[in-house]
Amino acid sequence: MSPAPSRQKLKTACDQVAATDPALARAYEVIGVPVWRAHAPSYALLGRLISHQQISLSAAAAIWGRVEDFLGDVTAGNMLDADPEAIRACGMSRPKVAHLMSIAEAMVSGQLDLERVCAAPLDEARRELLAVRGIGPWTAELFLLYAVGAMDAFPTADIGLMEAHKRLGTYDTRMETRAFTAHAERWRPCRGVAAHLLWGWLHVDRARGAAPGGG
């Protein structure tokens, strides 16, 4: 079963958040109801999120592709069986390799149970994820969005979200993380839907810029 909210739930939520913020209203006008980024709950998803931290999408995709090619089936067990230096050779930094190993150990030991996370109330699910060394707030919130379909999960420090909101809101400067987090409070309990509107708009805007004749 897909973790994505139904299209009707998304539309209702889009109507709600668009009414609270002109920037979201503009995004909604451009893209309509966004496609939810749904993924199966797995170690591979957590690993991919770790690989995408603080580097460009294209670089992260290339690095994680090499990890997938090396491991074959990306599971916690296969990661623990691998030589950490071989994972580093795929392009992963030493801290990220340590995080991948720590998360794998937590899953194999039962400290982290993704079925339990997906079935738990949002705050409990968040606590279980954050208790694992290597899973920070950004990774936890994205997992809750993608694998659980939590409509109020929200990666507050996501640069793409902050940049999209700045441009849609015609602000002179991008909000700092603390200010953006406070601003996003008005979008509860649908902050994850707001995130999908902003990501969706950013994707369309980038595609326009990449098209022949684009800016």
Side-chain angles (χ1 to χ4, degrees), residues 51-98:
S51 74
H52 278 64
Q53 291 174 358
Q54 299 179 329
I55 60 175
S56 71
L57 292 175
S58 58
I63 291 169
W64 188 242
R66 291 194 287 271
V67 173
E68 290 177 321
D69 289 343
F70 175 75
L71 289 179
D73 190 15
V74 182
T75 65
N78 285 351
M79 181 61 73
L80 291 179
D81 288 340
D83 180 353
E85 290 304 312
I87 303 300
R88 281 198 67 213
C90 294
M92 300 287 284
S93 68
R94 191 179 300 277
K96 287 184 178 180
V97 173

Short mmCIF file of all heavy atoms in Angstrom, two decimals, residues 51-98:
data_model
loop_
_atom_site.label_atom_id
_atom_site.label_comp_id
_atom_site.label_asym_id
_atom_site.label_seq_id
_atom_site.Cartn_x
_atom_site.Cartn_y
_atom_site.Cartn_z
N SER A 51 22.94 9.98 1.93
CA SER A 51 23.85 10.31 0.83
C SER A 51 23.55 11.69 0.25
O SER A 51 24.43 12.34 -0.32
CB SER A 51 23.75 9.25 -0.27
OG SER A 51 22.55 9.38 -1.02
N HIS A 52 22.30 12.15 0.39
CA HIS A 52 21.90 13.43 -0.22
C HIS A 52 22.10 14.63 0.69
O HIS A 52 21.78 15.76 0.28
CB HIS A 52 20.43 13.34 -0.65
CG HIS A 52 20.22 12.66 -1.97
ND1 HIS A 52 20.54 11.34 -2.18
CD2 HIS A 52 19.75 13.12 -3.16
CE1 HIS A 52 20.25 11.01 -3.43
NE2 HIS A 52 19.79 12.07 -4.05
N GLN A 53 22.63 14.42 1.86
CA GLN A 53 22.82 15.54 2.78
C GLN A 53 23.93 16.47 2.31
O GLN A 53 25.05 16.04 2.08
CB GLN A 53 23.15 15.04 4.19
CG GLN A 53 22.02 14.34 4.89
CD GLN A 53 22.43 13.73 6.22
OE1 GLN A 53 23.59 13.80 6.59
NE2 GLN A 53 21.50 13.13 6.92
N GLN A 54 23.59 17.74 2.15
CA GLN A 54 24.55 18.83 1.97
C GLN A 54 25.40 18.73 0.72
O GLN A 54 26.49 19.31 0.66
CB GLN A 54 25.46 18.93 3.21
CG GLN A 54 24.67 19.22 4.48
CD GLN A 54 25.56 19.29 5.70
OE1 GLN A 54 26.58 18.62 5.77
NE2 GLN A 54 25.18 20.11 6.68
N ILE A 55 24.93 18.03 -0.31
CA ILE A 55 25.59 18.07 -1.60
C ILE A 55 24.52 18.17 -2.68
O ILE A 55 23.34 18.00 -2.41
CB ILE A 55 26.49 16.83 -1.85
CG1 ILE A 55 25.66 15.53 -1.80
CG2 ILE A 55 27.63 16.77 -0.85
CD1 ILE A 55 26.49 14.31 -2.17
N SER A 56 24.93 18.47 -3.89
CA SER A 56 23.98 18.66 -4.98
C SER A 56 23.25 17.36 -5.30
O SER A 56 23.75 16.26 -5.05
CB SER A 56 24.68 19.17 -6.23
OG SER A 56 25.49 18.15 -6.81
N LEU A 57 22.07 17.50 -5.87
CA LEU A 57 21.28 16.33 -6.23
C LEU A 57 22.02 15.44 -7.21
O LEU A 57 22.00 14.21 -7.09
CB LEU A 57 19.94 16.77 -6.83
CG LEU A 57 18.95 17.46 -5.89
CD1 LEU A 57 17.73 17.94 -6.68
CD2 LEU A 57 18.53 16.52 -4.78
N SER A 58 22.68 16.04 -8.20
CA SER A 58 23.36 15.24 -9.22
C SER A 58 24.54 14.48 -8.62
O SER A 58 24.75 13.30 -8.92
CB SER A 58 23.83 16.13 -10.37
OG SER A 58 24.68 17.15 -9.90
N ALA A 59 25.30 15.15 -7.75
CA ALA A 59 26.44 14.47 -7.12
C ALA A 59 25.96 13.35 -6.21
O ALA A 59 26.53 12.25 -6.21
CB ALA A 59 27.27 15.48 -6.33
N ALA A 60 24.90 13.61 -5.44
CA ALA A 60 24.37 12.60 -4.53
C ALA A 60 23.86 11.39 -5.30
O ALA A 60 24.09 10.24 -4.91
CB ALA A 60 23.25 13.19 -3.68
N ALA A 61 23.17 11.65 -6.40
CA ALA A 61 22.64 10.54 -7.20
C ALA A 61 23.76 9.67 -7.75
O ALA A 61 23.66 8.44 -7.77
CB ALA A 61 21.77 11.08 -8.33
N ALA A 62 24.83 10.31 -8.19
CA ALA A 62 25.95 9.55 -8.74
C ALA A 62 26.63 8.71 -7.65
O ALA A 62 26.94 7.53 -7.87
CB ALA A 62 26.97 10.50 -9.37
N ILE A 63 26.84 9.30 -6.49
CA ILE A 63 27.49 8.58 -5.39
C ILE A 63 26.63 7.42 -4.93
O ILE A 63 27.11 6.28 -4.77
CB ILE A 63 27.79 9.54 -4.23
CG1 ILE A 63 28.88 10.52 -4.64
CG2 ILE A 63 28.20 8.76 -2.97
CD1 ILE A 63 29.06 11.68 -3.67
N TRP A 64 25.33 7.68 -4.71
CA TRP A 64 24.46 6.61 -4.23
C TRP A 64 24.29 5.52 -5.28
O TRP A 64 24.18 4.34 -4.94
CB TRP A 64 23.10 7.17 -3.81
CG TRP A 64 22.25 6.14 -3.12
CD1 TRP A 64 21.05 5.65 -3.52
CD2 TRP A 64 22.56 5.48 -1.89
NE1 TRP A 64 20.58 4.72 -2.63
CE2 TRP A 64 21.50 4.59 -1.61
CE3 TRP A 64 23.63 5.54 -0.99
CZ2 TRP A 64 21.47 3.78 -0.48
CZ3 TRP A 64 23.61 4.73 0.13
CH2 TRP A 64 22.54 3.86 0.38
N GLY A 65 24.33 5.89 -6.55
CA GLY A 65 24.29 4.88 -7.61
C GLY A 65 25.47 3.93 -7.52
O GLY A 65 25.33 2.71 -7.73
N ARG A 66 26.64 4.46 -7.19
CA ARG A 66 27.82 3.60 -7.05
C ARG A 66 27.69 2.69 -5.83
O ARG A 66 28.11 1.52 -5.87
CB ARG A 66 29.09 4.45 -6.96
CG ARG A 66 29.45 5.15 -8.26
CD ARG A 66 30.86 5.71 -8.23
NE ARG A 66 31.00 6.88 -7.39
CZ ARG A 66 30.81 8.14 -7.80
NH1 ARG A 66 30.47 8.38 -9.07
NH2 ARG A 66 30.96 9.15 -6.97
N VAL A 67 27.10 3.21 -4.75
CA VAL A 67 26.86 2.37 -3.57
C VAL A 67 25.90 1.23 -3.92
O VAL A 67 26.13 0.06 -3.55
CB VAL A 67 26.30 3.20 -2.40
CG1 VAL A 67 25.91 2.30 -1.23
CG2 VAL A 67 27.33 4.24 -1.94
N GLU A 68 24.84 1.55 -4.65
CA GLU A 68 23.87 0.52 -5.06
C GLU A 68 24.53 -0.53 -5.94
O GLU A 68 24.29 -1.73 -5.78
CB GLU A 68 22.70 1.17 -5.79
CG GLU A 68 21.80 2.02 -4.89
CD GLU A 68 20.70 2.70 -5.67
OE1 GLU A 68 20.97 3.17 -6.80
OE2 GLU A 68 19.58 2.79 -5.14
N ASP A 69 25.36 -0.08 -6.87
CA ASP A 69 26.06 -1.03 -7.75
C ASP A 69 26.99 -1.93 -6.94
O ASP A 69 27.09 -3.14 -7.22
CB ASP A 69 26.86 -0.27 -8.80
CG ASP A 69 25.99 0.39 -9.85
OD1 ASP A 69 24.80 0.01 -9.96
OD2 ASP A 69 26.48 1.31 -10.54
N PHE A 70 27.64 -1.36 -5.94
CA PHE A 70 28.58 -2.15 -5.13
C PHE A 70 27.87 -3.16 -4.25
O PHE A 70 28.28 -4.33 -4.17
CB PHE A 70 29.43 -1.20 -4.27
CG PHE A 70 30.35 -1.92 -3.33
CD1 PHE A 70 31.50 -2.53 -3.79
CD2 PHE A 70 30.06 -2.01 -1.97
CE1 PHE A 70 32.35 -3.21 -2.93
CE2 PHE A 70 30.89 -2.69 -1.10
CZ PHE A 70 32.04 -3.29 -1.58
N LEU A 71 26.80 -2.72 -3.57
CA LEU A 71 26.11 -3.61 -2.63
C LEU A 71 25.16 -4.58 -3.32
O LEU A 71 24.88 -5.66 -2.80
CB LEU A 71 25.33 -2.79 -1.60
CG LEU A 71 26.13 -2.02 -0.56
CD1 LEU A 71 25.18 -1.25 0.36
CD2 LEU A 71 27.01 -2.96 0.26
N GLY A 72 24.64 -4.19 -4.47
CA GLY A 72 23.59 -4.98 -5.10
C GLY A 72 22.27 -4.69 -4.40
O GLY A 72 21.62 -3.70 -4.69
N ASP A 73 21.89 -5.52 -3.47
CA ASP A 73 20.70 -5.29 -2.67
C ASP A 73 21.10 -4.44 -1.46
O ASP A 73 21.91 -4.87 -0.63
CB ASP A 73 20.12 -6.64 -2.21
CG ASP A 73 18.75 -6.50 -1.58
OD1 ASP A 73 18.12 -5.43 -1.73
OD2 ASP A 73 18.31 -7.46 -0.93
N VAL A 74 20.54 -3.22 -1.38
CA VAL A 74 20.94 -2.31 -0.31
C VAL A 74 20.11 -2.62 0.93
O VAL A 74 18.98 -2.19 1.10
CB VAL A 74 20.75 -0.84 -0.71
CG1 VAL A 74 21.23 0.08 0.42
CG2 VAL A 74 21.54 -0.54 -1.98
N THR A 75 20.69 -3.43 1.82
CA THR A 75 20.04 -3.80 3.08
C THR A 75 21.00 -3.49 4.23
O THR A 75 22.21 -3.31 4.03
CB THR A 75 19.69 -5.29 3.12
OG1 THR A 75 20.92 -6.05 3.09
CG2 THR A 75 18.81 -5.69 1.93
N ALA A 76 20.45 -3.45 5.43
CA ALA A 76 21.29 -3.23 6.61
C ALA A 76 22.35 -4.32 6.75
O ALA A 76 23.52 -4.05 7.04
CB ALA A 76 20.42 -3.16 7.86
N GLY A 77 21.95 -5.56 6.53
CA GLY A 77 22.89 -6.67 6.64
C GLY A 77 24.02 -6.57 5.63
O GLY A 77 25.20 -6.79 5.97
N ASN A 78 23.68 -6.25 4.38
CA ASN A 78 24.72 -6.12 3.36
C ASN A 78 25.66 -4.96 3.66
O ASN A 78 26.86 -5.04 3.37
CB ASN A 78 24.08 -5.95 1.99
CG ASN A 78 23.52 -7.25 1.45
OD1 ASN A 78 23.74 -8.32 2.02
ND2 ASN A 78 22.77 -7.18 0.35
N MET A 79 25.11 -3.89 4.22
CA MET A 79 25.98 -2.76 4.56
C MET A 79 26.97 -3.16 5.66
O MET A 79 28.16 -2.83 5.59
CB MET A 79 25.13 -1.57 5.01
CG MET A 79 25.95 -0.33 5.38
SD MET A 79 26.94 0.33 4.00
CE MET A 79 25.65 1.06 2.98
N LEU A 80 26.49 -3.88 6.67
CA LEU A 80 27.38 -4.29 7.75
C LEU A 80 28.44 -5.29 7.29
O LEU A 80 29.53 -5.35 7.85
CB LEU A 80 26.58 -4.89 8.91
CG LEU A 80 25.71 -3.91 9.69
CD1 LEU A 80 24.93 -4.64 10.78
CD2 LEU A 80 26.54 -2.79 10.29
N ASP A 81 28.12 -6.06 6.26
CA ASP A 81 29.08 -7.02 5.72
C ASP A 81 30.13 -6.36 4.84
O ASP A 81 31.17 -6.96 4.53
CB ASP A 81 28.36 -8.09 4.89
CG ASP A 81 27.58 -9.07 5.75
OD1 ASP A 81 27.88 -9.17 6.96
OD2 ASP A 81 26.66 -9.72 5.22
N ALA A 82 29.87 -5.13 4.42
CA ALA A 82 30.78 -4.44 3.49
C ALA A 82 31.95 -3.81 4.23
O ALA A 82 31.87 -3.47 5.41
CB ALA A 82 30.01 -3.36 2.73
N ASP A 83 33.04 -3.65 3.52
CA ASP A 83 34.20 -2.94 4.04
C ASP A 83 33.88 -1.44 4.00
O ASP A 83 33.58 -0.90 2.92
CB ASP A 83 35.41 -3.24 3.15
CG ASP A 83 36.68 -2.53 3.61
OD1 ASP A 83 36.60 -1.69 4.54
OD2 ASP A 83 37.74 -2.79 3.01
N PRO A 84 33.93 -0.75 5.14
CA PRO A 84 33.63 0.69 5.13
C PRO A 84 34.48 1.48 4.14
O PRO A 84 34.00 2.45 3.55
CB PRO A 84 33.92 1.11 6.58
CG PRO A 84 33.71 -0.14 7.38
CD PRO A 84 34.18 -1.25 6.49
N GLU A 85 35.72 1.04 3.93
CA GLU A 85 36.58 1.76 2.98
C GLU A 85 36.08 1.59 1.55
O GLU A 85 36.26 2.48 0.71
CB GLU A 85 38.02 1.28 3.10
CG GLU A 85 38.69 1.72 4.39
CD GLU A 85 38.65 3.24 4.57
OE1 GLU A 85 38.99 3.96 3.61
OE2 GLU A 85 38.29 3.70 5.67
N ALA A 86 35.43 0.47 1.26
CA ALA A 86 34.86 0.27 -0.07
C ALA A 86 33.67 1.20 -0.28
O ALA A 86 33.45 1.71 -1.40
CB ALA A 86 34.45 -1.19 -0.25
N ILE A 87 32.91 1.43 0.77
CA ILE A 87 31.79 2.37 0.67
C ILE A 87 32.33 3.79 0.51
O ILE A 87 31.81 4.58 -0.29
CB ILE A 87 30.88 2.28 1.92
CG1 ILE A 87 30.36 0.84 2.11
CG2 ILE A 87 29.71 3.26 1.80
CD1 ILE A 87 29.54 0.33 0.95
N ARG A 88 33.40 4.10 1.22
CA ARG A 88 34.03 5.41 1.06
C ARG A 88 34.52 5.60 -0.37
O ARG A 88 34.45 6.70 -0.93
CB ARG A 88 35.21 5.57 2.02
CG ARG A 88 34.81 5.91 3.45
CD ARG A 88 36.00 6.48 4.20
NE ARG A 88 36.37 7.77 3.66
CZ ARG A 88 37.62 8.25 3.60
NH1 ARG A 88 38.63 7.53 4.03
NH2 ARG A 88 37.86 9.44 3.10
N ALA A 89 35.03 4.54 -0.97
CA ALA A 89 35.54 4.63 -2.34
C ALA A 89 34.45 4.95 -3.35
O ALA A 89 34.75 5.40 -4.47
CB ALA A 89 36.24 3.33 -2.72
N CYS A 90 33.20 4.74 -2.97
CA CYS A 90 32.08 5.11 -3.84
C CYS A 90 31.86 6.62 -3.87
O CYS A 90 31.08 7.13 -4.69
CB CYS A 90 30.80 4.42 -3.38
SG CYS A 90 30.80 2.63 -3.53
N GLY A 91 32.52 7.33 -2.95
CA GLY A 91 32.38 8.78 -2.89
C GLY A 91 31.74 9.30 -1.63
O GLY A 91 31.56 10.51 -1.48
N MET A 92 31.41 8.40 -0.70
CA MET A 92 30.79 8.80 0.55
C MET A 92 31.85 9.33 1.51
O MET A 92 32.94 8.78 1.60
CB MET A 92 30.06 7.62 1.20
CG MET A 92 28.95 7.02 0.35
SD MET A 92 27.49 8.06 0.24
CE MET A 92 26.78 7.78 1.86
N SER A 93 31.51 10.37 2.25
CA SER A 93 32.44 10.90 3.25
C SER A 93 32.54 9.93 4.43
O SER A 93 31.66 9.09 4.65
CB SER A 93 31.96 12.26 3.74
OG SER A 93 30.76 12.12 4.50
N ARG A 94 33.61 10.07 5.20
CA ARG A 94 33.80 9.20 6.35
C ARG A 94 32.64 9.32 7.35
O ARG A 94 32.14 8.30 7.84
CB ARG A 94 35.14 9.51 7.02
CG ARG A 94 35.56 8.48 8.06
CD ARG A 94 36.91 8.83 8.67
NE ARG A 94 37.98 8.88 7.67
CZ ARG A 94 38.63 7.81 7.23
NH1 ARG A 94 38.31 6.60 7.69
NH2 ARG A 94 39.60 7.93 6.35
N PRO A 95 32.18 10.57 7.69
CA PRO A 95 31.04 10.66 8.62
C PRO A 95 29.78 9.99 8.08
O PRO A 95 29.04 9.35 8.83
CB PRO A 95 30.84 12.17 8.79
CG PRO A 95 32.17 12.76 8.49
CD PRO A 95 32.75 11.90 7.40
N LYS A 96 29.53 10.11 6.77
CA LYS A 96 28.33 9.48 6.21
C LYS A 96 28.43 7.96 6.25
O LYS A 96 27.43 7.28 6.50
CB LYS A 96 28.08 9.99 4.79
CG LYS A 96 27.57 11.42 4.73
CD LYS A 96 27.24 11.84 3.31
CE LYS A 96 26.67 13.25 3.28
NZ LYS A 96 26.32 13.69 1.91
N VAL A 97 29.61 7.43 6.00
CA VAL A 97 29.79 5.97 6.11
C VAL A 97 29.52 5.53 7.54
O VAL A 97 28.85 4.50 7.78
CB VAL A 97 31.20 5.56 5.66
CG1 VAL A 97 31.43 4.07 5.94
CG2 VAL A 97 31.40 5.83 4.17
N ALA A 98 30.01 6.29 8.51
CA ALA A 98 29.77 5.96 9.91
C ALA A 98 28.27 5.98 10.22
O ALA A 98 27.75 5.13 10.95
CB ALA A 98 30.51 6.93 10.83
#
